[in-house]
Amino acid sequence: MPNRYLVIFLYLFIPLYGFSQQTLKVTKKVSDDVKEVYHVLASDGRTKTGLYQAFYKNKTVVANGGYSNGKRTGVWQFYNRNGKVVQSYNFDRNQLYYEAPEDTTSSLHYAVDKQLDSASVVTKPVKIGGVYFGYLPYVSLFKIPGQLSELNRDAMTAVVELLISPGGRLADYKVHLYYTVLAQNVAEIPMNLKLPDPNDLTFTPATLNGVPITSRVLIRCKVKSNGRLDFN
C-alpha cells in the first residue's frame, strides 16, 4: 500500500515540476526609464504567458496584466509615473473600464480638423495603455538624427504628432523640434509607420457627435542629453 501512494505522489509531482520549467523570465528595456518583466514559453522563447509588469525607474509599476498564448487577457491596469491608475481595460471583452480625466498638466493635447460649435460633442482618441504607458512607444522610438546632432539640446523641446484616422489607425507619425527661447521650428522629422509592435497602430478614434473623425494627438516632450525624448 505505501508503494501505491508513492507512485501516485510522483505522478502528481512530475507534471507540476515540468510546468514550472516551461517558461523563461524576460527583462527588457522599453525606454531609458521603463523596463518590462514577463515570461515566455521555453519551447519557442517568444510566446508571452502569465504575469506582465512594466516598471518606471525600477520601482513604480506603470502596467500590470496577464498574457495567455501570446495575447493580452483579462483586466489590465495602467498607471502614470507617480503610480496613479490612469486606465483599466478588459482585453477579454475589448472594453474600456476606466480612463482618468486629464488636466492642464497633461503632456498630451488633441486637435480635430472640424469646425466646432457650442452644440458639438467631441470625444478624444483613446490609446490602450493610458496617457503614459500607451504613448511611450512613440516618444521612446525617437532619437535626434546625426545631421542635427550638433544642436543645443538644452535649448530644445519637441512635439510628437500622431494623426489618427476615423478608422482608428495611425495614419502619420512625426516629430517637431523647437528652440525653446525663440519658439522656432528647427525640424520636422517623419517617423516610420512600421512600428515594432503592430498594436501601436491602433486607437479608439475621436468622435464628433458620435461619428468617428480624424484627430491629432500632440505630445509635448523634453529633449534629453542623449538625444532621446521624455514626456514634458
Side-chain angles (χ1 to χ4, degrees):
M1 185 66 69
N3 289 338
R4 178 187 173 191
Y5 284 118
L6 178 60
V7 170
I8 293 174
F9 173 76
L10 289 175
Y11 178 78
L12 293 173
F13 176 75
I14 290 173
L16 291 174
Y17 177 81
F19 178 77
S20 70
Q21 301 303 304
Q22 290 176 355
T23 63
L24 301 172
K25 183 178 180 180
V26 176
T27 300
K28 189 169 65 174
K29 289 184 66 175
V30 178
S31 70
D32 290 342
D33 296 322
V34 176
K35 72 174 183 181
E36 56 184 2
V37 180
Y38 57 91
H39 290 78
V40 296
L41 295 179
S43 57
D44 63 14
R46 297 188 307 273
T47 304
K48 294 177 182 177
T49 186
L51 178 65
Y52 173 98
Q53 290 185 302
F55 297 89
Y56 175 71
K57 292 189 179 295
N58 294 318
K59 59 181 181 180
T60 303
V61 176
V62 291
N64 186 78
Y67 274 91
S68 177
N69 197 29
K71 295 182 178 181
R72 292 177 177 180
T73 186
V75 177
W76 281 54
Q77 301 274 12
F78 300 99
Y79 310 78
N80 63 17
R81 288 176 289 186
N82 296 320
K84 179 182 177 181
V85 175
V86 293
Q87 190 185 86
S88 296
Y89 192 89
N90 188 325
F91 283 91
D92 292 340
R93 298 183 178 182
N94 293 321
Q95 184 176 355
L96 181 66
Y97 278 178
Y98 172 73
E99 178 88 348
E102 294 180 64
D103 57 28
T104 55
T105 65
S106 175
S107 297
L108 275 65
H109 296 271
Y110 310 92
V112 296
D113 299 328
K114 294 285 185 179
Q115 188 71 33
L116 305 179
D117 56 36
S118 59
S120 299
V121 178
V122 182
T123 65
K124 69 174 186 177
V126 175
K127 180 61 190 169
I128 296 176
V131 295
Y132 179 65
F133 188 75
Y135 287 95
L136 187 61
Y138 315 105
V139 172
S140 62
L141 280 173
F142 178 80
K143 185 175 183 179
I144 291 180
Q147 65 268 28
L148 301 176
S149 60
E150 299 302 320
L151 295 176
N152 181 3
R153 295 167 189 174
D154 292 335
M156 296 178 67
T157 59
V159 172
V160 176
E161 180 182 345
L162 309 175
L163 180 66
I164 314 302
S165 75
R169 297 288 292 179
L170 180 63
D172 194 26
Y173 170 26
K174 64 183 70 171
V175 176
H176 304 270
L177 295 176
Y178 299 91
Y179 271 127
T180 307
V181 177
L182 302 176
Q184 178 183 355
N185 192 338
V186 177
E188 179 180 293
I189 303 169
M191 299 291 289
N192 195 337
L193 287 178
K194 293 182 179 180
L195 302 178
D197 186 349
N199 291 319
D200 290 328
L201 294 172
T202 60
F203 293 74
T204 299
T207 65
L208 173 59
N209 299 325
V211 179
I213 57 172
T214 299
S215 63
R216 299 177 190 273
V217 181
L218 307 172
I219 311 169
R220 295 180 304 177
C221 299
K222 58 186 177 183
V223 181
K224 301 196 292 185
S225 59
N226 63 0
R228 296 196 176 276
L229 304 181
D230 195 7
F231 292 84
N232 201 348

